[in-house]
């Protein structure tokens, strides 16, 4: 029985997308020794792909900032985003993130009246003064995320009186602000022009977007934050078994 | 002491970005009754913003597909992505996702030789035949994600012999394939042209990207999957206390 014919363009698009996915996973998992990708010819044979498909897949990875291609030199991995465990990202476990030594670039540290929807999220009356603490998180000297935190009083005063020289959770700990529950809602957004400039990206580049809510140990909301994260500098890892999250 | 002067464009960009973040969070949290946003004038007064900033922030939300603006009708919320708890997303807990009744649109169900990097991830010899099962997940009749699964044998045969009419984890359960550990690595990517077409989006639109690894109860990898998810149709939620992930 003849195989049903398909539009060649569709078929080729699928091949490119699948090849891109496999190469993307492989390079992020350090499966190419010394971050050097095989030649186009070797990739064609290893992945059963045409030269055109290999080139298109590599072009996609290049546009994501994951690889660089230099004539005569080859194709090299340019990004190595650490995998951050979710419990560490949420701030309940100390991990490698605490090793951050580059101080954040603080953009704003001002007191603003909470608009009604933010007030609802923070559990305060509309118009209540809250601290807006906004910064660019730096990883090894490079901007990795923009975070806008809205913090209620009295925790806000304690944060203001404390030197912010490392990670956000370090600031909280240094200020004696104890975290009760931490929640992430994770999605993604296109970078607006301002965020793109702060993070050294082109406008429209995809960013991980996190809405974080932190309570004190009594369940009172003390911080609502909006994070915009470069995916080539940060990835979240989460795992579970039938017994629950690990 | 005079306040340092800043470029007005930068200042305005920050205002717009912050307003966008607050409005985005508010509409996704159903804080606007009946999904109707206040008028521009009311937003200006509620958020202390200029009309230009309100319009720019709304334009950003519109370009994300989150709102629609109709002259004489107003501004309405157009997206209501469910928040999926991470343990359910990972497949270890049964939740609302299992209520999915729209069958997936299967794109590919074929046996392919595992290229070397995929073989390493699956823990098999390069060239080992694996099942590539690729589909578009549908939510209420609309495409929400593209998933490419690579499944080893003998689990692959069991999945092939089973009707795929609901959610992926339902398929696994129906096929008698027991999940041991499930891992997500979460980042985001721009939609390539093919994925964009499958999901009804413009090319370049940001998508959540998940690399999933599923093992059997003995720790043997049985499935490596690449998921591309529309953020306006799906969001991940994760929370923790000092005792660990919840």
């Amino acid at each position: 029985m003849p195989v049903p014919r398909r539009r060649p363009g569709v078929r080729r698009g699928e091949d490119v997308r699948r090849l891109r996915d496999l190469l993307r996973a492989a390079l992020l998992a350090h499966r190419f020794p010394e971050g050097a990708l095989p030649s186009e010819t070797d990739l064609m044979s290893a992945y059963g792909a045409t030269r055109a498909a290999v080139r298109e897949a590599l072009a996609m990875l290049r546009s994501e900032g994951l690889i660089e291609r230099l004539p005569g030199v080859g194709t090299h991995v340019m990004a190595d985003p650490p995998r951050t465990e979710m419990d560490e990202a949420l701030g309940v476990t100390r991990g490698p993130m605490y090793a951050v030594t580059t101080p954040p670039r603080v953009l704003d540290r001002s007191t603003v009246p909470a608009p009604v929807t933010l007030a609802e999220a923070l559990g305060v009356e509309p118009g209540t003064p809250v601290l807006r603490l906004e910064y660019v998180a730096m990883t090894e000297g490079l901007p990795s995320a923009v975070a806008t935190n809205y913090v209620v009083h009295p925790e806000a005063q304690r944060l203001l009186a404390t030197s912010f020289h490392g990670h956000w959770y370090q600031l909280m700990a240094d200020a004696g602000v104890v975290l009760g529950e931490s929640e992430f809602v994770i999605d993604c957004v296109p970078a607006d022009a301002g965020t793109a400039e702060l993070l050294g990206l082109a406008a429209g580049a995809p960013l991980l977007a996190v809405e974080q809510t932190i309570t004190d140990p009594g369940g009172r909301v003390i911080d609502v934050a909006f994070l915009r994260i470069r995916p080539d500098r940060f990835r979240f890892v989460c795992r579970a078994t039938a017994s629950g999250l690990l």
Side-chain angles (χ1 to χ4, degrees), chain A:
Chain A
M1 217 166 81
V3 174
R5 292 183 62 183
R6 307 177 59 178
R7 283 178 294 154
V10 171
R11 175 59 192 271
R12 165 120 167 271
E14 289 175 353
D15 287 348
V16 171
R17 167 167 56 80
R18 290 172 190 149
L19 178 58
R20 187 266 326 263
D21 288 349
L22 291 173
L23 292 176
R24 193 173 189 278
L27 70 89
L28 290 171
H30 308 121
R31 294 196 193 281
F32 298 117
E34 297 180 33
L37 268 68
S39 69
E40 284 183 5
T41 309
D42 287 347
L43 288 172
M44 289 163 63
S45 113
Y47 291 88
T50 63
R51 187 174 300 272
V54 166
R55 286 186 174 167
E56 269 190 68
L58 293 176
M60 286 181 185
L61 295 170
R62 189 180 178 183
S63 76
E64 275 194 71
L66 295 177
I67 60 169
E68 198 44 87
R69 308 197 71 193
L70 291 173
V73 177
T75 304
H76 283 265
V77 179
M78 296 300 288
D80 184 15
R83 298 174 167 218
T84 300
E85 299 287 330
M86 199 59 86
D87 54 350
E88 188 191 353
L90 283 160
V92 300
T93 309
R94 286 188 162 250
M97 256 177 20
Y98 281 83
V100 169
T101 49
T102 319
R105 181 182 153 208
V106 174
L107 301 173
D108 185 51
R109 200 192 306 241
S110 57
T111 298
V112 296
V116 57
T117 55
L118 176 63
E120 282 171 20
L122 286 167
V124 298
E125 287 298 313
T128 302
V130 297
L131 167 66
R132 184 175 64 206
L133 182 40
E134 186 169 71
Y135 62 95
V136 181
M138 309 292 287
T139 309
E140 291 171 13
L142 297 170
S144 52
V146 179
T148 311
N149 285 264
Y150 294 93
V151 184
V152 299
H153 292 278
E155 285 78 3
Q157 285 99 310
R158 286 189 232 146
L159 295 183
L160 279 172
T162 307
S163 157
F164 187 13
H165 53 77
H167 199 275
W168 175 259
Y169 300 121
Q170 187 67 55
L171 170 65
M172 286 184 66
D174 290 347
V177 175
V178 180
L179 181 155
E181 188 173 311
S182 171
E183 181 188 77
F184 271 11
V185 183
I186 302 173
D187 65 16
C188 61
V189 294
D192 57 84
T195 305
E197 194 183 333
L198 291 169
L199 293 177
L201 290 168
L207 298 174
L208 280 165
V210 174
E211 200 186 313
Q212 182 174 26
T213 307
I214 295 177
T215 74
D216 70 11
R220 187 177 129 264
V221 176
I222 54 177
D223 180 24
V224 167
F226 303 100
L227 320 180
R228 302 286 178 263
I229 303 165
R230 275 185 71 142
D232 59 341
R233 301 207 172 136
F234 201 92
R235 296 195 298 162
F236 296 111
V237 183
C238 198
R239 61 182 75 79
T241 66
S243 333
L245 294 166
L246 299 180

